[in-house]
Amino acid sequence: MADVRTLRDAVAELVHDGDTVAMEGFTHLIPFAAAHEVIRQGITDLTLARMTPDVVYDQLIGAGLVRKLIFSWGGNPGVGSLHRFRDAVENGWPRPLELDEHSHAGMANRYVAGASGLPFAVLRGYRGSGLATRTETVSTVVCPFTGEELAAVAALNPDVTVIHAQQADREGNVQLWGLAGVQKEAALAADRVLVTVEETVDALAPRPGGVVLPHWVIDAVCVVPGGAHPSYATGYSVRDNDFYRAWDPIARDRDTFIHWLDTQVRNENENEDEGAPVR
C-alpha cells in the first residue's frame, strides 16, 4: 500500500541527487508543489524528462538543479519562451544544460517501452528531421516481416516519476481525469512514484475516461490541495492565466528571477504578493 506522508518527507526519501526525474502532466495536473519542494531541498544534478516542459521546468533549470533535459517541446504556453531554459542553453547560466530532444510521438513511445519492460519502441517517425542525428536514443530497425525500416527509440525509465492527481483512496490507489497525458505510462516506467493529490476519499468513484493507478505502483501519496497551481486540476481549480503572463518578465531577468525564487519558493513564508504568486 502506498504510504500517505508529507510532501517534504516524500521528496527527501524518493528524489535523490543525480536522479532522472519525470514530472508529467498535460495542461493541467502539473506537479508544481512537488517541484518547489525539490528546489527547497536543493536536490541537484537532475536529468529531467517531460514531454512539454513549461514554467515548472523553467524554475528548476533556473535554480541550477538540472544538468540534462529530455523533452519534445518547451515553452510558456500561451505566452512565449522559457527564458531560464534559454539562458541555460545559450549562455550556460546558471549551469550548462544538455539536451535530448524528441518528437512527441517519440517521447510517448519511450515511456510506453519503459512501462512495458521493453528495451525500445518502434514507430514511423523522425524521417526528414535532424532530431535523430542529435541523440543516441534514436536509431532504426528493419521489420522482420515486411523489410520496412522504422525508427526505434530507447525505453525511458525514470528513477522517479512525480505527478499530481485529483484523488487517492485510503489504500493509496490514485485516480486522475480530464486531459490525460502520459502520467500513467511515466508512472509505470519508473522505479519510484510520488503522487500529490487534491484530496483523499473513502473510495474512488468510476469516471468516464478516468485513469486509475493502483497502490502497488505508488511509493508515496501526499495530500496537497492546489498542488498543481498555476496549472489546474479538472473539477477542483482553474488555470491561473495571470501567473503565466506574469512569469515572462520575472524569468527574463536573472536577478528578478533569483529574487522571486528566494521569496516565493525557497522561503515559502515570505509575502506571496511579490511578483507571480506560488499559490
Side-chain angles (χ1 to χ4, degrees):
M1 176 166 43
D3 292 332
V4 177
R5 64 188 78 173
T6 67
L7 182 58
R8 179 180 299 169
D9 289 346
V11 168
E13 178 180 340
L14 298 176
V15 187
H16 311 138
D17 288 352
D19 275 353
T20 295
V21 182
M23 296 185 180
E24 284 293 349
F26 183 66
T27 303
H28 72 146
L29 300 179
I30 300 170
F32 273 87
H36 290 167
E37 185 58 34
V38 168
I39 293 172
R40 282 190 287 271
Q41 295 190 21
I43 303 169
T44 192
D45 292 329
L46 299 174
T47 294
L48 294 183
R50 182 172 160 83
M51 284 190 63
T52 54
D54 60 359
V55 169
V56 67
Y57 275 19
D58 211 29
Q59 294 169 1
L60 286 158
I61 291 166
L65 304 179
V66 186
R67 69 170 190 86
K68 181 177 181 179
L69 179 65
I70 304 169
F71 74 113
S72 54
W73 175 89
N76 182 349
V79 179
S81 293
L82 297 175
H83 301 293
R84 294 300 91 224
F85 177 12
R86 289 193 62 166
D87 203 6
V89 172
E90 295 174 356
N91 304 304
W93 192 94
R95 63 187 293 179
L97 182 65
E98 182 182 348
L99 300 180
D100 185 6
E101 186 176 1
H102 287 268
S103 66
H104 280 338
M107 276 291 289
N109 274 276
R110 293 193 69 191
Y111 280 128
V112 169
S116 303
L118 296 171
F120 64 91
V122 177
L123 69 153
R124 290 188 176 93
Y126 292 94
R127 290 179 182 270
S129 82
L131 289 176
T133 67
R134 295 175 172 270
T135 177
E136 297 180 351
T137 54
V138 175
S139 187
T140 58
V141 295
V142 176
C143 174
F145 304 105
T146 67
E148 181 183 3
E149 185 179 83
L150 299 166
V153 289
L156 179 54
N157 292 101
D159 294 303
V160 57
T161 287
V162 181
I163 62 173
H164 188 74
Q166 283 95 337
Q167 293 179 345
D169 66 16
R170 306 304 178 189
E171 294 184 349
N173 302 300
V174 166
Q175 182 169 225
L176 58 93
W177 61 90
L179 288 172
V182 291
Q183 294 100 316
K184 176 183 70 175
E185 292 80 4
L188 294 176
D191 290 338
R192 304 181 297 277
V193 179
L194 188 164
V195 184
T196 57
V197 297
E198 292 291 324
E199 65 172 345
T200 55
V201 295
D202 291 331
L204 300 177
R207 292 178 178 271
V211 175
V212 175
L213 294 172
H215 63 84
W216 47 264
V217 304
I218 299 168
D219 294 275
V221 171
C222 309
V223 182
V224 187
H229 183 270
S231 76
Y232 65 101
T234 297
Y236 288 81
S237 59
V238 297
R239 188 177 190 269
D240 187 350
N241 292 318
D242 289 342
F243 181 102
Y244 288 93
R245 285 190 290 266
W247 182 251
D248 188 80
I250 291 170
R252 281 181 182 272
D253 180 76
R254 294 175 182 175
D255 291 338
T256 303
F257 166 75
I258 291 298
H259 175 74
W260 180 89
L261 195 68
D262 287 342
T263 59
Q264 302 298 319
V265 178
R266 288 178 175 145
N267 187 345
E268 59 184 332
N269 296 318
E270 288 284 340
N271 185 348
E272 293 178 350
D273 291 335
E274 294 188 48
V278 173
R279 300 197 182 281

